């Protein structure tokens, strides 16, 4: 699945499969400017760290179309749009990574006129988009060897094709094992409150014919206690320099249970998800989303009127619970500080 993020040259717009209404309806949301793109990111029309990065790269191009070369202030106005875009969601570092990539290319060529900058950014956004699929396939090849024939693999949230430009990170590893001919099964934790597991992971694996069952988030301990899970593979939104990994709320609990029951717990993420400027997971900002995602299922309110809720969207799994981090450059193992600095930081 790769048509969920498309740039339409005819419409001069970014066209996104609307993940808010999957699997019931397959409809597209069109972003024509920065505001549309920020709206799509914040309401999770598009979500998942690498997909957020690809969207942001096209968002920079759309921003460049909104400023007027005749305006003496166009550079300042463009920078403001980039800043707004970069701050659309706080946890997935791929958002900042993509905007920073575009910004650096712009600042490296300060004399570029706006027309030339637009052309450069569209070309760069297309490259980020195409490269992400290749990166995920490489991750799938490296990670496939961690999965044995006959394994049942648990995953949390959606780290699949929909969360990336295609193929997926955690689901890329699962697809890699499946393509090797291994007979595997997948347990998709439903992932309250946005239900990325129940709606999106189940949707894309089922579409590809990979056996998948959805489990309530709170079934994890029972399933592991009964020996029904051999591996866990999840994605990440940001990985600190010491290997602590932020991912969808609930991931940390799955990792603790996996340690308790002796189930290897792996994270799969591209180099762009590492944030070497953040030493440990304690420095990763955790998104606090609208209460409505918890108080309502669709239009239906499930909590008493006036009762407060928590809606932290992510948690941080300490590196000590992670058996390995699958990247496009290979599988990183402990000691994480040294190995991440060498493999990701090039030190
Ligand atoms: O809030 P979301 O849906 O953007 O959160 C997504 C996740 O937590 C994914 O597991 C993560 O981004 C990895 S995606 C390949």
């Amino acid at each position: 699945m790769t048509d969920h993020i498309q740039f339409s040259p005819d419409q001069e717009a970014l066209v996104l499969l609307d993940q808010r209404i999957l699997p019931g309806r397959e409809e597209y949301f069109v972003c024509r400017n920065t505001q549309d793109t920020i709206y799509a990111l914040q309401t999770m029309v598009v979500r998942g760290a690498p997909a957020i990065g690809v969207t942001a790269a096209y968002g920079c191009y759309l921003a460049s179309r909104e400023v007027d070369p005749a305006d003496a202030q166009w550079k300042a106005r463009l920078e403001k749009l980039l800043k707004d875009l970069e701050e659309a969601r706080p946890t997935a570092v791929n958002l900042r990574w993509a905007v920073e990539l575009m910004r650096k290319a712009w600042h490296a060529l300060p004399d570029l006129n706006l027309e030339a900058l637009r052309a450069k950014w569209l070309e760069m956004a297309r490259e980020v988009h195409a490269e992400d699929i290749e990166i995920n396939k490489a991750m799938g090849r490296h990670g496939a060897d961690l999965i044995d024939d006959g394994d049942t693999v648990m995953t949390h949230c959606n780290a699949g094709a929909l969360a990336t430009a295609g193929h997926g990170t955690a689901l890329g590893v699962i697809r890699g094992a499946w393509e090797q001919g291994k007979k595997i099964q997948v347990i998709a934790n439903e992932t309250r409150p946005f239900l990325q597991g129940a709606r999106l992971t189940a949707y894309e694996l089922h579409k590809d014919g990979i056996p998948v069952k959805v489990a309530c988030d709170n079934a994890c301990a029972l399933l592991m206690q009964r020996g029904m899970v051999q591996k866990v593979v999840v994605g990440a939104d940001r990985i600190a320099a010491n290997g602590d990994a932020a991912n969808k709320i609930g991931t940390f609990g799955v990792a603790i249970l996996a340690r308790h029951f002796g189930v290897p717990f792996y994270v799969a993420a591209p180099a762009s998800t590492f944030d070497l400027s953040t030493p440990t997971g304690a420095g990763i900002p955790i998104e606090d989303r609208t209460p409505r995602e918890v108080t309502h299922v669709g239009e239906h309110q499930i909590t008493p009127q006036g009762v407060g809720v928590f809606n932290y969207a992510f948690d941080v799994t300490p590196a000590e619970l992670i058996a390995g981090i699958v990247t496009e450059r290979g599988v990183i193992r402990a000691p994480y500080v040294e190995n991440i600095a060498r493999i990701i930081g090039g030190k």
Side-chain angles (χ1 to χ4, degrees):
M1 183 189 299
T2 53
D3 57 0
H4 57 291
I5 303 177
Q6 300 167 49
F7 186 79
S8 158
D10 302 342
Q11 298 181 66
E12 272 291 314
L14 180 63
V15 182
L16 302 167
L17 180 62
D18 192 338
Q19 298 191 30
R20 297 171 301 178
I21 51 176
L22 285 175
R25 300 200 311 270
E26 293 181 5
E27 288 174 14
Y28 286 83
F29 181 90
V30 179
C31 302
R32 293 198 162 80
N33 53 38
T34 322
Q35 266 328 100
D36 294 345
T37 312
I38 291 172
Y39 176 84
L41 290 166
Q42 290 182 335
T43 59
M44 306 220 284
V45 168
V46 61
R47 30 65 49 203
I52 288 172
V54 173
T55 301
Y58 284 117
C60 291
Y61 168 71
L62 294 176
S64 74
R65 297 199 54 85
E66 273 176 76
V67 293
D68 179 355
D71 175 358
Q73 298 300 313
W74 74 263
K75 288 186 180 169
R77 287 194 213 291
L78 183 53
E79 181 46 44
K80 169 79 173 70
L81 292 174
L82 296 194
K83 191 103 198 83
D84 291 347
L85 187 59
E86 190 168 53
E87 289 173 357
R89 290 190 72 186
T91 305
V93 77
N94 305 56
L95 174 57
R96 200 182 72 196
W97 170 86
V99 175
E100 197 47 33
L101 187 78
M102 307 300 253
R103 188 186 273 126
K104 271 194 186 137
W106 175 24
H107 293 173
L109 299 163
D111 297 334
L112 223 53
N113 67 42
L114 186 55
E115 211 44 59
L117 180 65
R118 285 175 182 155
K120 180 159 189 62
W121 276 1
L122 182 55
E123 186 190 319
M124 283 178 69
R126 288 190 192 283
E127 273 168 21
V128 167
H129 190 174
E131 274 169 16
D132 189 57
I133 300 178
E134 294 314 310
I135 285 169
N136 292 322
K137 289 195 171 154
M139 234 182 285
R141 286 192 294 274
H142 291 301
D145 293 338
L146 302 172
I147 311 294
D148 294 311
D149 194 21
D151 275 356
T152 294
V153 183
M154 176 177 278
T155 189
H156 194 79
C157 193
N158 172 263
L162 288 165
T164 62
H167 203 65
T169 56
L171 296 196
V173 170
I174 287 167
R175 286 193 167 94
W178 181 255
E179 282 160 14
Q180 285 181 346
K182 291 173 181 161
K183 298 274 173 286
I184 55 172
Q185 314 248 6
V186 179
I187 295 175
N189 291 341
E190 64 175 349
T191 319
R192 277 276 295 154
F194 199 68
L195 302 173
Q196 289 93 330
R199 296 188 302 108
L200 308 177
T201 298
Y203 165 82
E204 58 172 273
L205 290 180
H206 186 63
K207 221 173 173 168
D208 281 0
I210 300 177
V212 57
K213 282 190 177 159
V214 173
C216 299
D217 295 327
N218 41 17
C220 182
L222 177 81
L223 297 175
M224 287 191 183
Q225 188 185 43
R226 290 191 167 182
M228 292 165 73
V229 183
Q230 281 70 51
K231 307 278 158 50
V232 177
V233 188
V234 298
D237 290 82
R238 190 186 298 221
I239 301 176
N242 71 342
D244 292 349
N247 192 51
K248 182 52 53 189
I249 190 79
T251 304
F252 181 24
V254 175
I256 292 171
L257 289 168
R259 170 60 55 90
H260 181 80
F261 289 107
V263 175
F265 177 95
Y266 296 103
V267 171
S272 55
T273 297
F274 287 78
D275 177 5
L276 302 191
S277 69
T278 298
T280 73
I284 298 178
I286 300 294
E287 181 176 6
D288 190 2
R289 291 184 60 80
T290 169
R292 200 184 156 89
E293 287 176 351
V294 177
T295 57
H296 285 67
V297 173
E299 291 306 306
H300 183 66
Q301 183 160 350
I302 56 169
T303 55
Q305 189 67 34
V307 171
V309 299
F310 293 110
N311 192 13
Y312 295 116
F314 300 95
D315 56 28
V316 178
T317 299
E320 71 208 50
L321 297 180
I322 302 172
I325 306 177
V326 184
T327 74
E328 68 273 35
R329 301 178 192 172
V331 181
I332 305 178
R333 306 251 187 197
Y336 286 114
V337 173
E338 293 85 330
N339 290 340
I340 289 173
R342 182 171 52 79
I343 297 169
I344 303 298
K347 288 189 185 136

